[in-house]
Amino acid sequence: MIIIMEKFATEENIQSVINILQEHGFRAILHRGAVHTVIDALGDKTSLSPQRLEAMDGVSQVKLIREPFRLASRDRKSEDTVIEFENGVKIGGANRPVSIVGPCSVDEDYNGLLQVAVAAKELGCQFLRGGAFKPRTSPYDFDGLGEKGLQLLAKAKEETGLLIVTELMDSSDLDLVCNYADVIQIGARNMQNFKLLKSVGKCNKPVILKRGPASTIREFLLAAEHIMYNGNEKVILCERGLKSFDNDYTRNLLDISAIPVIKKYSHLPIIIDPSHGTGQRYLIEPMAKAGLVAGADGVMVEVHHNPPQALSDGKQSLTIPQFKEIFSRLNSLIDTLHLEKSSAPNIVE
Amino acid sequence: MIIIMEKFATEENIQSVINILQEHGFRAILHRGAVHTVIDALGDKTSLSPQRLEAMDGVSQVKLIREPFRLASRDRKSEDTVIEFENGVKIGGANRPVSIVGPCSVDEDYNGLLQVAVAAKELGCQFLRGGAFKPRTSPYDFDGLGEKGLQLLAKAKEETGLLIVTELMDSSDLDLVCNYADVIQIGARNMQNFKLLKSVGKCNKPVILKRGPASTIREFLLAAEHIMYNGNEKVILCERGLKSFDNDYTRNLLDISAIPVIKKYSHLPIIIDPSHGTGQRYLIEPMAKAGLVAGADGVMVEVHHNPPQALSDGKQSLTIPQFKEIFSRLNSLIDTLHLEKSSAPNIVE
Amino acid sequence: MIIIMEKFATEENIQSVINILQEHGFRAILHRGAVHTVIDALGDKTSLSPQRLEAMDGVSQVKLIREPFRLASRDRKSEDTVIEFENGVKIGGANRPVSIVGPCSVDEDYNGLLQVAVAAKELGCQFLRGGAFKPRTSPYDFDGLGEKGLQLLAKAKEETGLLIVTELMDSSDLDLVCNYADVIQIGARNMQNFKLLKSVGKCNKPVILKRGPASTIREFLLAAEHIMYNGNEKVILCERGLKSFDNDYTRNLLDISAIPVIKKYSHLPIIIDPSHGTGQRYLIEPMAKAGLVAGADGVMVEVHHNPPQALSDGKQSLTIPQFKEIFSRLNSLIDTLHLEKSSAPNIVE
Amino acid sequence: MIIIMEKFATEENIQSVINILQEHGFRAILHRGAVHTVIDALGDKTSLSPQRLEAMDGVSQVKLIREPFRLASRDRKSEDTVIEFENGVKIGGANRPVSIVGPCSVDEDYNGLLQVAVAAKELGCQFLRGGAFKPRTSPYDFDGLGEKGLQLLAKAKEETGLLIVTELMDSSDLDLVCNYADVIQIGARNMQNFKLLKSVGKCNKPVILKRGPASTIREFLLAAEHIMYNGNEKVILCERGLKSFDNDYTRNLLDISAIPVIKKYSHLPIIIDPSHGTGQRYLIEPMAKAGLVAGADGVMVEVHHNPPQALSDGKQSLTIPQFKEIFSRLNSLIDTLHLEKSSAPNIVE
């Protein structure tokens, strides 16, 4: 850390900062400039927060040199994290990008869900997604079938062999959801629900953590850190679009650059969700492609057998024929990228 | 609702929309323009969501005419909601704006907490705030004393008679927090933690609901609606600053205009938190004043007996002498505004 | 400046940075940390930009300690700038906050303009505003009467004695506008039109510089710096609302906190425009009050004798009766604040 | 347009709206709902702005059905606009995406510029870019060589045959810049400098219009409309990144989705600038690729023969060796995309 003192900081102010630094095991080096005095705090301690220093009299600013996340950081672990499932599917590193598809929420029509799952299997997708517990902005909207929805997903898994991704909204449902899910999803609005992060940190399932719609990348990686710090290192990040001043044509602003940025600073895999990320069916294909060429380890796309009947997010769901058409093109791109990835040395500048 | 069809919508598309509207009890009126066909859906039903209509073939846009919140809406209840406590303190309507003060988080030093509480009592404040459970962006930061913290707050209440405001982070702690709190606070990052909203909706305590840092006012009022829909109408809204592209001098961008906007569209009381809302001690006084003259029903301000020792948010906390100085000026303003408010007819626009 | 080197920076990289610093007259002090090497550059030179250092091999980040603006900075000039007009009106410092009112754009109806001006004069306002050259998002909208508009303003000035504020959009109109205006306004969308800033920097009239809708405060003060650097120190800043993700109820998000922040970092006067800043008539009064208690040196409000006939921005204009009602209340607040201001020592923390 | 009246609108209010609509040639159709009255205004007139209607008593909201831009709209012209240069280079439609490269600003070192130009030529790039007039946030930064810079660009053109792209900052320089430039660039901060848009609208050169950092896509297309409305239809749009709340790792947030959105709503070509769009050298390659697969008609990339010596934006410039390495990969992608584009039917959506 670098502590920049106020212009009018007293000798006493300066000494107090040095004292607290030394108490916490830092080496403090003092530089007196023409105007400002600056203190370098050398050391790698987590016990003294910059906020505490900033609150001291005479302190103008505290600048961090290191990233505040550790376990998620590429500094700690330079090779990519790869998450492997029982059936041999792998996410991350030089592996072929994965596809996670299915309806936003699971509804009563099992046949419809099965149609989606069968099409997904045929197209080489690895995961079936569907919400049984749904966060809803309005209390008047459908909020999911609960366990019934989980059972329908399990049935579709039995018939197709697809792995199941489903959202956990409350730590009290953890055991229930773990019984059915191969991957637990934490939704964007829960990205900083720290109790929930802690609870999935203590279970043993891979977790897809969606980026909050107004979260910085640093906050996103710190949320992953919460899960990892509690013992679960199998975190898959998911970029799904940010709040923006321009909502005329899209629901969110999908941040494609987050993918290469995160690849540089973290070893965790990252996937992209162009369905929520844009809210528009016609943008799914170009944005999925953009995410993949930028380095994403997978795509998550909403597919519904009958979007107008969908109880949530129909507007952004693909129909089964659209899904087939788009994924035949996406699969070619994924194949090409896989070839490049697996033959190239794993360089992150 | 007004449904605007695509330019190339077929007769079949149009008829499907009319059918679904009629099935859900709407009266559908068709207008064929030179370019677009438009359907007016007359009725006041919540059973058919605009999203479902938007997903239908041939539909271009669905425009809402009414606000999606009902219980929180001033259309339903034109007079201001007033929340009254056992000791006679009232929030909302023509009542004197209230003051809620205290440290961000409660730490081990009970004497410090008591000093703040005693000063608050002397300055006419009504509420003591302090976090026992703290949401923290990083897992390495202090996350609160838990029940121990609640007990210290209770002790300070006993000595001063101040009412207690404290945050609930997880529905599993509801009973515990209710045992100690007079008002339950839902933090900004949990504004759309719907399980938590539901749980406080089922208890009988007043709730301070903080606006999420990237939430629209509509989403904020819909979050209040979740609490009200579950049975608890005692909701106090709190504006605490938004994410912004400009973080050079402030941590958040405090949205003062949210106060008169919410007063127009909702009957719920709204308070303002200039401490989190700016993150800067020197901005607390001007922004508290700005919020009050814009119509806020109260202010929430961080005060700590020794900010540099605070385990969270010291930078934005007032010391006790600063608190006394600022509140002597704020109290004069509050008195003036109260005089105006209570003598004026209750007009909104 | 503080230069933080990459973890893997070579000795050669470090030496190159030291060399370039010394060439530009800085004293360079080297600190080798456990992980990073940090170089303090001591000196107060503007000849070496941080961007140039950041582009050097091995440099990770460059941190500025001083603000990049000089002339606009309170460090350079601690007392408030006061701008005085021939008729004795003053803006800034401990003077009574001023009122600038009038239609968004001047239209053909001179009688209407005169009615506004007469009412303004009676209410003690000092300035009449009105656009003769109008920036318009769409080429199909009315873009002003040009010189004809300026002549109508001049006529209204003759009859009422109000000072004239009007916008300059292109440096080629500078002489024309200067012939009529007492204050030249630079619109928000031209805040970074550097040619225009340069041209008003070379004239001798006071300038109202509006903050760009997505400009940081630092960029805003740097735009003022452009004007001052070219020779004109009579700059009045104007906060008029930011782009935001929430446009449901307001057109812009008025940043009240910009006022006390700018008061801390700059000596320039700052006024507030709640008409453009919110786009809603009912928000003008509360937001004008909020701005004034937060320390604004004046308010700029749109008033039109017949808003629905206005050729621009009718929605946010006050009618003359609304104007009279609101300004009778605003004037009381302004009187109170003036009393406080002029009797208090001029302290900026 | 659809005009939604307030709940308490009077018959007189309603009649006034109908009258004004009819005066302007609209057909007005009235629908009385249970709560609100709604008026459909049928017609395609530009003479009556929605703002004027919104200012009328009793009007709650006015909803637009059509886009406010006409000339730039795909509704008016369904096939892609293709801009062709004397040497046969074409931008837009099914043509091979183009490459525009060069330093941010032209400096005195002509040999350096030539090295970049020669490398660009060898790699098949079509355009050399370089600023002779530079907009600078701070008055203390280098603002370009002026005509000298234009002459150096002309010399490099002579030697390599590359077409020249350079920025125009003020309408008074139009003739000068036109003498040297093959394409005139309008910078992001001038996107709403309407005088400048008008002046390039009256010249005959193709224009690259950069999106303002806080402009909506609709505002962007309206800015293009200003140029087209003044007679110049050769507009090339350029996405270059938006202001965002997250500046930890990137300077701007590059909006890749703007490309397919604009392709849907407009026939104009659109290119992408990943250098300014991210501000980070390591992000240029993945973001250029993302833009291209999302449908961009070209990329604009900063290359400097010696980035640390660059007088502006060195941090985001590629060195010549980096440029060669990255463009060898980009060229393969461009070839593949061109093959797909030119063999596919021109489908939008």
Side-chain angles (χ1 to χ4, degrees):
Chain A
M1 281 181 299
I2 294 174
I3 297 105
I4 301 164
M5 302 299 293
E6 297 277 6
K7 213 159 50 176
F8 303 114
T10 64
E11 282 305 306
E12 208 185 336
N13 296 156
I14 294 169
Q15 199 51 53
S16 302
V17 172
I18 294 174
N19 290 348
I20 198 170
L21 286 171
Q22 291 174 342
E23 278 168 32
H24 286 80
F26 285 88
R27 206 175 122 219
I29 303 180
L30 191 68
H31 317 292
R32 294 182 189 275
V35 181
H36 287 271
T37 291
V38 171
I39 302 168
D40 279 0
L42 306 178
D44 179 21
K45 307 296 178 295
T46 58
S47 59
L48 180 64
S49 80
Q51 285 74 32
R52 182 145 174 205
L53 289 163
E54 284 198 332
M56 295 183 74
D57 288 335
V59 173
S60 166
Q61 298 173 65
V62 178
K63 304 277 188 190
L64 286 182
I65 297 179
R66 291 172 180 243
E67 289 298 337
F69 45 87
R70 311 281 162 105
L71 304 172
S73 157
R74 202 174 274 279
D75 280 354
R76 186 188 64 106
K77 177 164 176 284
S78 61
E79 70 278 17
D80 292 328
T81 283
V82 173
I83 294 169
E84 185 167 357
F85 293 85
E86 281 179 24
N87 64 358
V89 168
K90 291 175 191 171
I91 299 184
N95 295 292
R96 193 177 185 278
V98 299
S99 301
I100 304 170
V101 302
C104 182
S105 57
V106 178
D107 52 41
E108 299 276 357
D109 178 358
Y110 174 69
N111 276 337
L113 179 66
L114 188 61
Q115 283 172 43
V116 171
V118 167
K121 187 68 190 176
E122 285 170 8
L123 287 160
C125 302
Q126 297 85 351
F127 297 86
L128 178 67
R129 55 150 290 162
F133 300 97
K134 295 299 305 170
R136 301 312 306 256
T137 303
S138 161
Y140 304 108
D141 291 338
F142 174 67
D143 67 353
L145 292 180
E147 184 164 10
K148 178 73 190 296
L150 297 173
Q151 289 164 344
L152 298 180
L153 287 168
K155 214 166 138 190
K157 176 183 179 177
E158 230 177 77
E159 299 204 37
T160 60
L162 293 172
L163 296 163
I164 298 302
V165 177
T166 198
E167 181 165 347
L168 175 71
M169 281 182 64
D170 196 70
S171 49
S172 64
D173 296 323
L174 179 67
D175 292 341
L176 178 63
V177 169
C178 280
N179 279 345
Y180 294 95
D182 296 291
V183 182
I184 298 172
Q185 179 175 312
I186 300 293
R189 284 174 285 204
N190 275 325
M191 193 200 86
Q192 291 192 318
N193 180 339
F194 301 112
K195 289 272 177 172
L196 196 58
L197 299 181
K198 200 171 181 176
S199 78
V200 296
K202 293 193 166 147
C203 83
N204 198 29
K205 296 270 179 179
V207 176
I208 288 179
L209 176 67
K210 297 193 118 184
R211 182 176 176 189
S215 295
T216 64
I217 290 174
R218 193 169 281 151
E219 290 165 340
F220 188 23
L221 289 171
L222 277 167
E225 190 85 357
H226 270 275
I227 299 173
M228 297 172 84
Y229 180 74
N230 282 287
N232 185 351
E233 302 225 345
K234 290 181 280 189
V235 179
I236 300 154
L237 303 167
C238 180
E239 162 63 35
R240 49 72 76 200
L242 303 178
K243 280 273 174 94
S244 147
F245 58 85
D246 190 359
N247 308 307
D248 293 334
Y249 305 110
T250 52
R251 195 159 118 174
N252 290 296
L253 175 50
L254 196 63
D255 179 7
I256 297 289
S257 64
I259 299 164
V261 169
I262 285 174
K263 287 277 168 199
K264 181 172 163 70
Y265 289 95
S266 178
H267 52 84
L268 294 174
I270 174 161
I271 63 171
I272 196 157
D273 174 352
S275 304
H276 286 88
T278 66
Q280 297 291 339
R281 209 174 284 156
Y282 78 96
L283 294 173
I284 293 175
E285 179 174 357
M287 297 309 285
K289 286 178 171 172
L292 286 166
V293 297
D297 298 298
V299 289
M300 183 185 262
V301 172
E302 279 188 26
V303 181
H304 193 278
H305 70 288
N306 186 358
Q309 294 292 334
L311 294 172
S312 60
D313 284 340
K315 179 88 175 169
Q316 69 197 27
S317 288
L318 299 176
T319 61
I320 294 179
Q322 288 166 337
F323 167 48
K324 288 182 175 173
E325 197 191 322
I326 288 174
F327 267 70
S328 70
R329 290 192 291 264
L330 275 189
N331 275 332
S332 314
L333 181 65
I334 290 175
D335 289 338
T336 312
L337 294 169
H338 180 210
L339 220 68
E340 287 172 13
K341 249 181 164 184
S342 52
S343 64
N346 177 19
I347 296 168
V348 172
E349 188 214 353
Chain B
M1 283 182 295
I2 294 174
I3 297 105
I4 301 165
M5 304 299 294
E6 298 276 5
K7 213 160 54 176
F8 303 113
T10 62
E11 283 305 306
E12 208 184 336
N13 296 156
I14 294 169
Q15 198 53 51
S16 302
V17 173
I18 294 175
N19 290 348
I20 197 170
L21 287 171
Q22 290 174 342
E23 279 167 32
H24 285 81
F26 285 88
R27 206 173 123 220
I29 303 181
L30 190 68
H31 315 293
R32 294 180 190 275
V35 180
H36 287 271
T37 291
V38 171
I39 302 169
D40 279 2
L42 305 177
D44 181 20
K45 306 297 178 291
T46 58
S47 58
L48 181 63
S49 80
Q51 285 74 31
R52 183 147 173 204
L53 289 164
E54 283 197 332
M56 295 182 74
D57 288 334
V59 173
S60 165
Q61 298 175 65
V62 177
K63 304 278 189 190
L64 286 183
I65 296 179
R66 291 171 179 243
E67 290 298 339
F69 45 87
R70 311 282 161 104
L71 303 172
S73 158
R74 202 174 275 279
D75 280 353
R76 186 187 65 107
K77 177 162 176 283
S78 60
E79 71 278 17
D80 290 330
T81 283
V82 174
I83 295 169
E84 186 167 357
F85 292 84
E86 280 179 24
N87 65 356
V89 168
K90 291 175 191 172
I91 300 184
N95 294 292
R96 193 177 185 280
V98 298
S99 301
I100 303 169
V101 303
C104 182
S105 56
V106 178
D107 51 42
E108 300 276 358
D109 177 359
Y110 175 69
N111 275 338
L113 179 67
L114 187 63
Q115 283 172 42
V116 171
V118 167
K121 187 68 191 176
E122 285 170 10
L123 286 160
C125 301
Q126 298 86 350
F127 297 86
L128 178 67
R129 55 150 291 162
F133 300 96
K134 295 299 305 170
R136 302 311 307 256
T137 303
S138 161
Y140 304 107
D141 291 338
F142 175 67
D143 67 353
L145 291 180
E147 185 163 11
K148 178 74 192 295
L150 296 172
Q151 288 164 345
L152 298 179
L153 287 168
K155 215 166 137 190
K157 176 181 178 177
E158 230 178 77
E159 298 205 38
T160 59
L162 292 173
L163 297 163
I164 297 301
V165 177
T166 198
E167 181 166 348
L168 175 70
M169 280 183 65
D170 195 70
S171 49
S172 64
D173 296 323
L174 179 66
D175 291 342
L176 177 64
V177 170
C178 280
N179 278 346
Y180 294 95
D182 296 291
V183 182
I184 299 172
Q185 179 176 313
I186 301 293
R189 284 173 286 203
N190 275 326
M191 192 199 88
Q192 292 193 318
N193 180 340
F194 300 112
K195 289 271 176 172
L196 196 59
L197 299 181
K198 202 172 178 174
S199 77
V200 295
K202 293 194 164 146
C203 83
N204 198 29
K205 296 270 178 180
V207 176
I208 288 180
L209 177 66
K210 295 193 119 184
R211 182 178 176 187
S215 295
T216 64
I217 291 175
R218 192 170 281 151
E219 290 165 341
F220 189 22
L221 289 171
L222 277 167
E225 189 85 0
H226 270 275
I227 300 173
M228 299 174 83
Y229 180 73
N230 282 288
N232 186 351
E233 302 225 345
K234 290 181 280 189
V235 179
I236 299 154
L237 303 166
C238 179
E239 162 62 33
R240 47 74 74 202
L242 303 179
K243 280 272 173 93
S244 146
F245 57 85
D246 191 358
N247 307 308
D248 293 335
Y249 305 110
T250 52
R251 193 161 119 172
N252 290 297
L253 174 51
L254 196 63
D255 179 8
I256 297 289
S257 63
I259 299 165
V261 169
I262 284 174
K263 287 279 169 199
K264 181 173 163 71
Y265 290 95
S266 177
H267 52 84
L268 294 173
I270 174 161
I271 64 172
I272 194 156
D273 173 352
S275 304
H276 286 88
T278 66
Q280 296 291 339
R281 211 175 282 156
Y282 78 96
L283 294 173
I284 292 175
E285 180 173 357
M287 296 310 285
K289 286 178 171 171
L292 286 166
V293 297
D297 298 299
V299 289
M300 182 184 263
V301 171
E302 279 188 27
V303 181
H304 193 279
H305 71 288
N306 186 358
Q309 293 293 335
L311 295 172
S312 59
D313 286 339
K315 179 87 176 169
Q316 68 197 28
S317 287
L318 299 176
T319 61
I320 294 178
Q322 289 166 336
F323 167 48
K324 288 184 175 170
E325 196 191 323
I326 288 176
F327 267 70
S328 71
R329 289 192 292 263
L330 274 189
N331 275 333
S332 314
L333 181 66
I334 289 175
D335 289 339
T336 312
L337 293 170
H338 180 210
L339 220 68
E340 286 173 13
K341 248 182 163 183
S342 54
S343 65
N346 176 17
I347 294 167
V348 174
E349 195 207 10
Chain C
M1 282 182 297
I2 295 173
I3 297 105
I4 301 164
M5 304 298 293
E6 298 276 5
K7 213 160 48 175
F8 303 112
T10 63
E11 281 306 305
E12 209 186 335
N13 296 156
I14 292 168
Q15 199 52 50
S16 302
V17 172
I18 293 174
N19 291 348
I20 198 170
L21 286 171
Q22 290 174 344
E23 278 167 33
H24 285 80
F26 286 88
R27 207 175 121 221
I29 303 181
L30 191 69
H31 316 293
R32 295 183 189 273
V35 180
H36 288 271
T37 290
V38 171
I39 302 168
D40 277 1
L42 305 178
D44 179 21
K45 308 295 179 292
T46 58
S47 58
L48 181 63
S49 80
Q51 285 73 34
R52 183 148 173 203
L53 289 164
E54 283 199 333
M56 295 183 73
D57 288 334
V59 173
S60 165
Q61 298 175 64
V62 178
K63 303 277 188 192
L64 287 180
I65 297 179
R66 288 171 181 245
E67 289 297 338
F69 46 87
R70 309 282 162 105
L71 304 171
S73 157
R74 202 175 274 279
D75 280 353
R76 186 188 64 107
K77 178 164 177 282
S78 62
E79 70 279 18
D80 291 328
T81 283
V82 173
I83 295 168
E84 185 166 358
F85 293 84
E86 282 178 24
N87 64 358
V89 167
K90 291 175 190 171
I91 299 183
N95 294 291
R96 193 177 185 279
V98 299
S99 300
I100 303 169
V101 303
C104 182
S105 56
V106 178
D107 52 42
E108 300 276 358
D109 178 0
Y110 174 69
N111 275 339
L113 180 67
L114 188 62
Q115 283 173 43
V116 172
V118 167
K121 187 68 191 175
E122 285 171 8
L123 286 160
C125 301
Q126 298 86 350
F127 298 86
L128 179 67
R129 55 151 292 163
F133 300 96
K134 296 298 305 169
R136 301 311 307 257
T137 303
S138 163
Y140 304 108
D141 291 339
F142 175 68
D143 66 354
L145 291 179
E147 185 163 12
K148 177 74 190 294
L150 296 172
Q151 289 165 344
L152 298 180
L153 288 168
K155 215 167 138 189
K157 176 181 179 178
E158 231 179 75
E159 298 204 38
T160 59
L162 292 173
L163 296 162
I164 298 300
V165 177
T166 197
E167 182 165 349
L168 175 70
M169 280 182 65
D170 195 69
S171 49
S172 64
D173 296 323
L174 180 67
D175 291 341
L176 178 64
V177 169
C178 279
N179 279 346
Y180 295 95
D182 297 291
V183 182
I184 299 171
Q185 179 175 312
I186 301 292
R189 283 172 286 203
N190 276 325
M191 192 200 87
Q192 293 193 318
N193 181 339
F194 300 113
K195 290 270 175 173
L196 196 59
L197 299 180
K198 201 171 179 176
S199 77
V200 295
K202 292 190 165 150
C203 83
N204 197 28
K205 296 270 178 180
V207 176
I208 288 180
L209 176 67
K210 296 193 119 183
R211 179 176 179 190
S215 296
T216 64
I217 289 174
R218 192 169 282 152
E219 288 164 341
F220 189 23
L221 289 170
L222 277 166
E225 189 85 359
H226 270 274
I227 299 172
M228 299 174 83
Y229 180 74
N230 281 288
N232 186 349
E233 301 226 347
K234 290 181 279 189
V235 179
I236 300 154
L237 303 167
C238 179
E239 162 61 35
R240 48 73 75 202
L242 303 178
K243 281 273 174 93
S244 146
F245 58 83
D246 190 358
N247 308 308
D248 292 334
Y249 304 110
T250 53
R251 194 161 117 172
N252 289 297
L253 175 51
L254 196 63
D255 179 8
I256 297 289
S257 63
I259 300 164
V261 169
I262 283 173
K263 287 278 167 200
K264 180 173 164 73
Y265 290 95
S266 177
H267 52 83
L268 294 174
I270 175 161
I271 64 171
I272 195 157
D273 173 352
S275 304
H276 286 88
T278 66
Q280 297 290 339
R281 208 175 283 156
Y282 78 96
L283 293 173
I284 292 175
E285 181 174 356
M287 296 310 285
K289 287 178 171 172
L292 287 165
V293 297
D297 297 299
V299 289
M300 183 184 264
V301 171
E302 281 189 25
V303 181
H304 193 280
H305 70 287
N306 187 357
Q309 292 293 334
L311 294 173
S312 59
D313 285 340
K315 178 88 177 171
Q316 69 198 27
S317 288
L318 298 178
T319 62
I320 294 179
Q322 288 166 339
F323 167 48
K324 289 184 175 172
E325 196 191 322
I326 288 175
F327 267 69
S328 70
R329 290 191 292 263
L330 275 189
N331 275 332
S332 316
L333 181 66
I334 289 175
D335 289 338
T336 312
L337 293 170
H338 180 210
L339 220 69
E340 286 172 15
K341 252 180 159 183
S342 53
S343 64
N346 176 17
I347 296 169
V348 172
E349 187 213 355
Chain D
M1 283 182 297
I2 295 174
I3 297 104
I4 302 166
M5 303 299 293
E6 297 276 5
K7 213 160 52 177
F8 303 113
T10 63
E11 282 306 305
E12 211 185 334
N13 295 157
I14 293 169
Q15 198 53 50
S16 303
V17 172
I18 293 174
N19 290 348
I20 198 170
L21 286 171
Q22 290 174 344
E23 277 167 32
H24 285 80
F26 286 88
R27 208 175 121 217
I29 303 181
L30 190 70
H31 315 293
R32 296 182 188 275
V35 180
H36 288 271
T37 291
V38 171
I39 302 169
D40 278 2
L42 305 178
D44 180 20
K45 308 296 178 290
T46 58
S47 58
L48 180 65
S49 81
Q51 285 73 32
R52 182 146 173 206
L53 291 164
E54 282 198 334
M56 295 183 71
D57 289 334
V59 173
S60 165
Q61 298 175 65
V62 178
K63 303 277 189 193
L64 287 181
I65 297 179
R66 288 170 182 247
E67 289 298 338
F69 45 87
R70 309 282 161 104
L71 304 172
S73 157
R74 203 175 273 280
D75 280 354
R76 186 188 65 107
K77 178 163 176 283
S78 60
E79 69 279 18
D80 290 329
T81 284
V82 174
I83 295 170
E84 185 167 357
F85 293 84
E86 282 179 23
N87 64 357
V89 168
K90 291 176 191 170
I91 300 184
N95 294 292
R96 193 175 184 279
V98 299
S99 301
I100 304 169
V101 302
C104 182
S105 56
V106 178
D107 51 42
E108 300 276 358
D109 178 358
Y110 174 69
N111 276 338
L113 180 66
L114 187 63
Q115 283 172 43
V116 171
V118 167
K121 186 69 190 177
E122 286 170 9
L123 286 161
C125 301
Q126 298 86 351
F127 298 86
L128 179 67
R129 55 151 292 163
F133 300 97
K134 295 299 306 171
R136 302 310 307 257
T137 303
S138 163
Y140 305 108
D141 290 338
F142 174 68
D143 67 354
L145 292 180
E147 184 163 12
K148 178 75 189 295
L150 296 172
Q151 289 163 345
L152 298 180
L153 287 169
K155 214 166 137 189
K157 177 182 178 178
E158 230 176 77
E159 299 205 38
T160 59
L162 291 173
L163 297 162
I164 297 302
V165 177
T166 197
E167 181 165 348
L168 175 71
M169 279 182 67
D170 195 68
S171 49
S172 64
D173 297 323
L174 180 66
D175 292 342
L176 178 63
V177 170
C178 279
N179 279 346
Y180 295 95
D182 296 291
V183 182
I184 298 171
Q185 180 175 312
I186 300 294
R189 284 172 285 202
N190 275 325
M191 193 199 86
Q192 292 193 318
N193 181 339
F194 301 113
K195 289 271 177 172
L196 197 59
L197 299 181
K198 202 171 179 174
S199 77
V200 294
K202 292 192 166 147
C203 82
N204 197 29
K205 295 270 179 182
V207 177
I208 288 180
L209 176 67
K210 295 192 120 183
R211 181 177 177 187
S215 296
T216 63
I217 290 175
R218 191 170 281 150
E219 289 164 341
F220 189 22
L221 289 171
L222 278 166
E225 190 85 358
H226 270 274
I227 300 173
M228 298 173 83
Y229 180 74
N230 282 287
N232 186 351
E233 302 225 346
K234 290 181 280 188
V235 179
I236 300 154
L237 304 166
C238 180
E239 162 62 33
R240 49 72 77 202
L242 303 178
K243 281 272 175 92
S244 146
F245 58 83
D246 189 0
N247 308 308
D248 293 333
Y249 305 109
T250 53
R251 194 161 120 172
N252 289 297
L253 175 51
L254 196 64
D255 179 8
I256 298 288
S257 63
I259 300 164
V261 168
I262 284 174
K263 287 278 167 199
K264 181 174 163 71
Y265 289 96
S266 177
H267 52 83
L268 295 173
I270 174 161
I271 63 172
I272 195 157
D273 174 351
S275 304
H276 286 88
T278 66
Q280 296 291 338
R281 210 175 282 156
Y282 78 96
L283 293 174
I284 292 176
E285 179 174 355
M287 296 310 283
K289 287 178 171 172
L292 287 166
V293 297
D297 297 300
V299 289
M300 182 184 263
V301 171
E302 279 187 27
V303 181
H304 194 279
H305 69 287
N306 187 357
Q309 292 293 335
L311 295 172
S312 59
D313 284 341
K315 178 89 175 171
Q316 69 198 26
S317 288
L318 299 178
T319 62
I320 295 179
Q322 288 166 338
F323 166 48
K324 288 184 176 171
E325 195 192 323
I326 288 176
F327 267 69
S328 71
R329 289 192 291 264
L330 275 189
N331 275 333
S332 314
L333 182 64
I334 289 175
D335 289 337
T336 312
L337 293 170
H338 180 210
L339 219 70
E340 286 172 14
K341 250 182 163 183
S342 53
S343 65
N346 177 15
I347 295 166
V348 174
E349 195 206 10

